[in-house]
Amino acid sequence: MAAPGDAQSNTSSTQRVKVYCLDKDGKWDDRGTGLVSLDYVERSEELGLYVVDEDDHETLLVHRISTDDIYRKQEDTIISWREPEGSTELALSFQETAGCSHIWNHICTMQRNLHFSSLNSKSFSCPTELRELPDVDISNLPQILEIVTESGIKGQMRLAGLMLKDVKFFDNLMNVFEMCEDLEKLDCLHMMFNIVKGIISLNSHQILEKILGDSLIMKVIGSLEYDPDAPQSLHYRNDVTTHVVFKEAIPIKNPMVLSKIHQTYRIGYLKDVILSRVVDDATATSLDSIINANKAAIVTLLKDDSNFFQELFARLRSPSTSVESKSDLVHFLHEFCSLSKSLEMELKLRLFKELIDKGIFDVIGEVLQLPDTQHASADILLIFLTADPKLLRSYLVKPETPLLGLLVKGLMEDFGVKMLEIFRILLASRALSAGAQGANIMDIFCEKHIPELVNFITTSCPEKPGDTSESTSGRVSSLLNICELLCFCVQQDPSRTTFLLQNATEKVLFLTRRKEKSIVAAAVRFFRTLLSVLDENVQSYVVKKNLLKPIIDVFVAGGNHDDLLISSILALLEHIRKVSIFILFSICFLVVFLRTYHSFFCVQAKATVLLKYVVDTFWDQLAPFEHRTSIQALKNEQCIESLGPKSNTDPVDMRGNSDGEKSAFDSSTQKEGANPHNSNGEAASSSPLRSERVLDYEDDEDDDEDNKTQKQTEDSAKGREKRCRCREDEQEECKKKPKLCPTIEGNKNSTERDGGEAKEPENARSSEENNNSVDEKKES
């Protein structure tokens, strides 16, 4: 067995784990911290997981890999399983995600191979009794190739252990490669390609670190140039050394940092270019883990060098530094911040806070105004915002900082897309709920910078539609970004709608004068976003200022075309119609179930104000396009006016019908429908629920008029008979439905208000007698 102590030499954080065991009380017991590796279990030919304590090098865990489905991966850093023999729950908690992925991929690969070996033992015919490797020379290349390429999973693990045991193996192998290249032995070079590819495919973290070191990596890359399947010669070494120039914006004095930087680039080139078609996912993950470990080491070593960043920021602030040098320094700073993504969140936030204390945001504010640095500067801010938006918000709320204004200025320039993303994170709704920071950011932006953006829109629009003067041409991407940001502000903080409405909407609609349809469509989209807030002040302001006119003019000019702009305008009109109908039916719902009669028509008028405004003001212009579905629907919705204050529809009837049963209200409605020739006063007196009608609350003078008319009109005998029969039906319904009995009081009130002398009914007196008494007094 290869000694498990081999894993002890690897101190990479990707192999660092904690071992946990579930005790009888259901709690996870910490068994210690160590380094995990894969090796053969002692006195067997089976593979297992070894965890060796990082301090005293004692074995914390030995687990034989099982073909059963017992392993579970949790939260990207935990692998757990139940031991088949002792039914013990075990778990490994990895320090880094890359290490967990590496071991997990190995376990999955081993399970597949072990399962396959049980079905076809011939595939693992490589000699398992291999005790040593042959000498590395040209004559033994065929034998080495056979061992490397034809070994099964067990043979691969044993082979990796033997290679690591022979400290001179890889040096000797690369010396043979150089000899073959000098002698131009093409067959041997093809064998070297397959040998090196097979060694990399062993996916041993220790082997990869060894062959990708500074002394061997260029020779390894050279051996991979001789692909026997390649149609032409490859020149990887030339690409790495000649075509790529390492540029030091500021001298790096630590040789370890320089070594890690070069190695990181070369391994990335190896993974992404040379081996992109031949390595499996597990090997690619191992290469990524080495790259991430190198990046973390680079960031840590540079961070710990206190003089390095002082010199870097001093050069950026110095007026004597050339613009080209400052551009190089900013790009270096961007690369450094990008490398920090490989750090754990806690370490990353600690690093960023240190950079803020050293003045990185002040430096960004200065270099943001320089050419060729805006994109890199914006990327740096996005890296900070992605980690924790509070870091930048805390800086921007300071009154003396000009950075927010510079970001707004950048939004009006060609690279505004990145600035738009920055503002989306800064002004996101979660920022507004984060306390003073979020509220202050929105206050400052709305009060100081939205007028600046609106003024930019105004100066970018011609005085008349179709004008193409040079002063108002261009700026397309900037205008689109500004419209998108204004829409975002409305969606994130609807309480600012009134401010935006009074200060921005009319000027944003100046964009309808532009010839670019995408810009006009953006203005329409902003207007629709504003209406989606369903604010009463918005609707009143739109009607008062006739804000829809420029949009309707655009539609009339091109309404016969089918393009994005016309579709957006039709969608706006459809939105107005649907929202109005939705609000109206929502009010009807409240009337039915909450019986809020007193404000029904008042709120209803507000709900349909926009729809009525569109139809009344623009129908003559829209009528020629009636063939379009949305325009036809607007015409059809004119019937909504019949539900307004002039309507005879009784919302109380809707309440009675809401229960799915026939009520006294239905009887009243049927009676009135059966006597269409009766006068208004007669219809009112014949309804026992006259006092419940909503329209009567509008003006008491109507009641007096009804009383006079009623006294001058006599019912026919047939009419009296029908009324009596209706009242009898209603009384029967009231007996069945106690909940409607309070409306009998409405009958009494109606009679008294109509001039009768009805008295309050006594308990012993029947409902029918009450009704007859009322009829007799009316006839007199």
Side-chain angles (χ1 to χ4, degrees):
M1 164 191 143
D6 291 342
Q8 298 172 11
S9 61
N10 184 2
T11 59
S12 172
S13 60
T14 58
Q15 292 181 283
R16 195 166 185 262
V17 298
K18 276 185 175 294
V19 181
Y20 290 94
C21 179
L22 193 66
D23 60 19
K24 296 180 180 179
D25 298 329
K27 298 181 180 179
W28 288 104
D29 181 24
D30 187 354
R31 295 294 181 87
T33 303
L35 301 176
V36 64
S37 62
L38 293 164
D39 210 330
Y40 285 99
V41 179
E42 189 174 4
R43 295 190 182 90
S44 74
E45 297 296 330
E46 297 178 340
L47 294 165
L49 282 172
Y50 279 88
V51 179
V52 179
D53 191 283
E54 62 181 353
D55 295 327
D56 55 20
H57 307 303
E58 292 185 359
T59 301
L60 298 176
L61 174 70
V62 178
H63 167 70
R64 182 182 288 103
I65 301 297
S66 173
T67 57
D68 299 331
D69 185 19
I70 62 173
Y71 303 98
R72 296 292 180 269
K73 185 180 180 184
Q74 306 172 24
E75 301 179 359
D76 296 331
T77 57
I78 298 175
I79 298 176
S80 62
W81 68 90
R82 177 186 290 271
E83 288 286 357
E85 298 176 358
S87 298
T88 305
E89 289 282 351
L90 295 171
L92 296 180
S93 178
F94 288 77
Q95 179 176 333
E96 295 187 7
T97 303
C100 183
S101 300
H102 174 67
I103 296 297
W104 177 258
N105 290 331
H106 265 304
I107 292 174
C108 296
T109 303
M110 289 178 184
Q111 283 186 308
R112 287 194 299 268
N113 288 322
L114 289 173
H115 179 70
F116 181 72
S117 65
S118 64
L119 300 177
N120 185 7
S121 60
K122 186 178 179 179
S123 61
F124 298 102
S125 59
C126 177
T128 58
E129 300 299 328
L130 184 64
R131 291 290 179 261
E132 60 181 12
L133 294 173
D135 294 335
V136 181
D137 55 42
I138 295 179
S139 61
N140 288 333
L141 285 182
Q143 185 180 358
I144 296 174
L145 177 61
E146 181 181 3
I147 294 173
V148 170
T149 58
E150 297 184 6
S151 296
I153 185 65
K154 295 182 180 180
Q156 288 178 349
M157 296 298 295
R158 186 178 298 278
L159 177 62
L162 292 174
M163 288 180 177
L164 292 171
K165 187 177 181 180
D166 185 355
V167 295
K168 293 292 185 179
F169 176 81
F170 297 107
D171 292 328
N172 294 336
L173 187 65
M174 291 299 102
N175 291 335
V176 170
F177 160 70
E178 291 181 324
M179 188 183 303
C180 293
E181 195 172 37
D182 292 339
L183 298 175
E184 298 182 355
K185 290 182 173 293
L186 191 59
D187 293 341
C188 294
L189 292 172
H190 288 167
M191 283 189 287
M192 284 298 306
F193 170 87
N194 289 310
I195 290 172
V196 172
K197 186 181 73 171
I199 291 173
I200 294 175
S201 298
L202 292 176
N203 198 16
S204 169
H205 196 87
Q206 295 167 279
I207 290 178
L208 290 175
E209 285 189 335
K210 193 171 186 64
I211 65 175
L212 299 179
D214 291 343
S215 61
L216 295 179
I217 187 169
M218 291 306 297
K219 297 176 183 179
V220 169
I221 291 176
S223 65
L224 294 174
E225 292 181 354
Y226 295 95
D227 186 353
D229 298 327
Q232 57 185 4
S233 300
L234 304 174
H235 305 284
Y236 296 137
R237 285 172 291 184
N238 188 52
D239 293 339
V240 171
T241 56
T242 305
H243 294 171
V244 176
V245 179
F246 176 67
K247 194 172 185 179
E248 282 186 279
I250 185 171
I252 299 175
K253 302 175 182 178
N254 191 330
M256 179 65 70
V257 175
L258 291 173
S259 174
K260 294 291 184 182
I261 291 174
H262 292 304
Q263 186 188 51
T264 300
Y265 169 76
R266 291 165 182 169
I267 296 175
Y269 183 85
L270 181 70
K271 179 179 77 76
D272 297 331
V273 178
I274 302 175
L275 300 176
S276 59
R277 296 179 294 104
V278 296
V279 297
D280 54 13
D281 293 339
T283 305
T285 302
S286 297
L287 293 173
D288 283 333
S289 67
I290 297 175
I291 292 173
N292 291 332
N294 283 355
K295 290 179 178 179
I298 293 170
V299 172
T300 303
L301 291 171
L302 289 177
K303 177 181 71 67
D304 294 340
D305 187 350
S306 58
N307 296 326
F308 180 80
F309 278 100
Q310 291 180 0
E311 183 179 356
L312 173 63
F313 290 154
R315 289 193 182 189
L316 283 170
R317 292 186 175 124
S318 174
S320 61
T321 306
S322 64
V323 174
E324 182 180 359
S325 297
K326 286 187 176 181
S327 178
D328 293 338
L329 291 171
V330 171
H331 283 89
F332 170 80
L333 188 59
H334 172 233
E335 288 294 329
F336 175 81
C337 293
S338 299
L339 292 177
S340 66
K341 295 178 181 178
S342 59
L343 296 177
E344 294 183 8
M345 182 57 67
E346 183 180 354
L347 297 176
K348 185 191 305 182
L349 293 178
R350 189 185 308 165
L351 169 64
F352 286 170
K353 289 178 182 178
E354 292 180 7
L355 291 176
I356 293 173
D357 293 339
K358 293 176 181 178
I360 188 172
F361 287 154
D362 295 330
V363 170
I364 294 299
E366 295 177 12
V367 300
L368 198 59
Q369 307 174 61
L370 300 177
D372 301 328
T373 62
Q374 293 92 339
H375 290 283
S377 301
D379 286 335
I380 293 173
L381 295 179
L382 283 173
I383 292 173
F384 276 78
L385 285 171
T386 303
D388 187 358
K390 295 179 183 178
L391 297 175
L392 183 56
R393 291 193 199 114
S394 300
Y395 177 82
L396 293 178
V397 295
K398 298 178 181 178
E400 67 275 7
T401 177
L403 183 56
L404 188 61
L406 294 173
L407 295 176
V408 172
K409 182 180 178 181
L411 190 66
M412 297 181 287
E413 298 179 2
D414 292 337
F415 62 99
V417 175
K418 291 183 179 179
M419 297 303 174
L420 176 61
E421 185 63 25
I422 290 175
F423 277 110
R424 279 178 171 170
I425 301 175
L426 284 175
L427 305 177
S429 56
R430 59 179 178 271
L432 304 180
S433 61
Q437 284 186 359
N440 289 341
I441 286 291
M442 182 61 81
D443 289 338
I444 296 172
F445 178 71
C446 287
E447 295 174 7
K448 294 185 178 180
H449 300 296
I450 281 187
E452 185 178 353
L453 296 176
V454 171
N455 182 62
F456 177 81
I457 291 176
T458 304
T459 58
S460 303
C461 297
E463 295 182 2
K464 297 180 181 180
D467 187 5
T468 58
S469 59
E470 294 183 2
S471 60
T472 59
S473 60
R475 305 178 179 179
V476 174
S477 62
S478 300
L479 293 172
L480 291 175
N481 292 328
I482 293 174
C483 286
E484 188 69 24
L485 180 58
L486 293 178
C487 290
F488 182 79
C489 291
V490 173
Q491 294 168 341
Q492 295 297 311
D493 190 9
S495 63
R496 311 278 177 173
T497 302
T498 303
F499 175 85
L500 291 171
L501 189 72
Q502 297 176 354
N503 295 272
T505 306
E506 291 183 76
K507 295 179 181 179
V508 170
L509 290 177
F510 287 171
L511 294 173
T512 57
R513 302 172 184 173
R514 298 271 304 200
K515 63 178 182 178
E516 299 88 354
K517 291 185 178 181
S518 59
I519 295 181
V520 181
V524 175
R525 185 165 58 253
F526 168 75
F527 190 75
R528 177 176 174 177
T529 304
L530 203 62
L531 294 182
S532 66
V533 178
L534 301 179
D535 190 311
E536 178 184 338
N537 295 329
V538 173
Q539 299 182 19
S540 301
Y541 193 84
V542 169
V543 175
K544 178 181 178 181
K545 295 293 186 178
N546 195 18
L547 295 183
L548 199 57
K549 183 181 184 305
I551 296 177
I552 297 298
D553 291 343
V554 172
F555 177 76
V556 171
N560 291 322
H561 299 86
D562 291 320
D563 52 30
L564 178 63
L565 175 58
I566 299 302
S567 298
S568 63
I569 297 176
L570 290 173
L572 170 64
L573 297 176
E574 187 71 7
H575 172 77
I576 293 174
R577 184 185 71 85
K578 288 184 177 180
V579 168
S580 300
I581 300 303
F582 171 76
I583 297 177
L584 181 60
F585 279 100
S586 298
I587 296 171
C588 291
F589 176 86
L590 293 176
V591 169
V592 171
F593 290 97
L594 302 181
R595 304 180 181 180
T596 56
Y597 315 125
H598 62 282
S599 60
F600 173 74
F601 290 111
C602 178
V603 181
Q604 180 196 40
K606 294 176 182 178
T608 59
V609 62
L610 278 181
L611 184 60
K612 189 175 185 303
Y613 158 66
V614 173
V615 175
D616 291 351
T617 308
F618 303 109
W619 181 250
D620 291 341
Q621 294 174 266
L622 296 175
F625 308 99
E626 195 173 344
H627 61 280
R628 291 187 176 274
T629 304
S630 299
I631 305 300
Q632 179 64 35
L634 286 176
K635 180 181 179 182
N636 295 338
E637 295 302 341
Q638 292 183 76
C639 63
I640 291 180
E641 296 182 8
S642 64
L643 301 178
K646 296 181 182 180
S647 172
N648 291 327
T649 303
D650 194 344
V652 180
D653 292 344
M654 295 186 293
R655 182 190 66 181
N657 293 333
S658 65
D659 295 330
E661 301 173 322
K662 184 175 181 180
S663 67
F665 305 118
D666 299 322
S667 303
S668 174
T669 306
Q670 293 173 3
K671 176 192 66 57
E672 292 180 4
N675 295 276
H677 300 294
N678 289 349
S679 66
N680 294 336
E682 183 178 10
S685 64
S686 62
S687 173
L689 303 176
R690 184 68 178 87
S691 64
E692 289 282 342
R693 295 185 66 83
V694 176
L695 294 183
D696 289 347
Y697 296 144
E698 295 184 1
D699 194 349
D700 292 337
E701 294 181 359
D702 294 342
D703 296 336
D704 298 335
E705 186 66 25
D706 292 342
N707 294 338
K708 295 178 182 179
T709 305
Q710 181 178 359
K711 292 178 180 179
Q712 298 173 359
T713 306
E714 294 184 357
D715 292 331
S716 62
K718 182 176 180 180
R720 288 198 302 271
E721 183 179 357
K722 289 184 177 180
R723 286 195 299 274
C724 291
R725 185 165 56 250
C726 290
R727 292 191 185 95
E728 291 174 358
D729 294 338
E730 291 163 357
Q731 296 304 325
E732 290 297 322
E733 291 293 333
C734 285
K735 293 178 181 178
K736 298 178 181 178
K737 302 179 181 179
K739 63 178 180 179
L740 294 180
C741 286
T743 60
I744 302 300
E745 294 295 328
N747 300 347
K748 172 188 66 111
N749 295 336
S750 176
T751 307
E752 292 175 351
R753 191 154 44 84
D754 288 343
E757 299 178 358
K759 298 181 180 180
E760 183 176 357
E762 298 177 357
N763 294 336
R765 198 172 173 187
S766 66
S767 299
E768 182 177 359
E769 291 173 348
N770 290 339
N771 291 335
N772 292 338
S773 176
V774 173
D775 278 348
E776 290 173 0
K777 294 183 183 298
K778 285 183 179 179
E779 291 175 0
S780 64

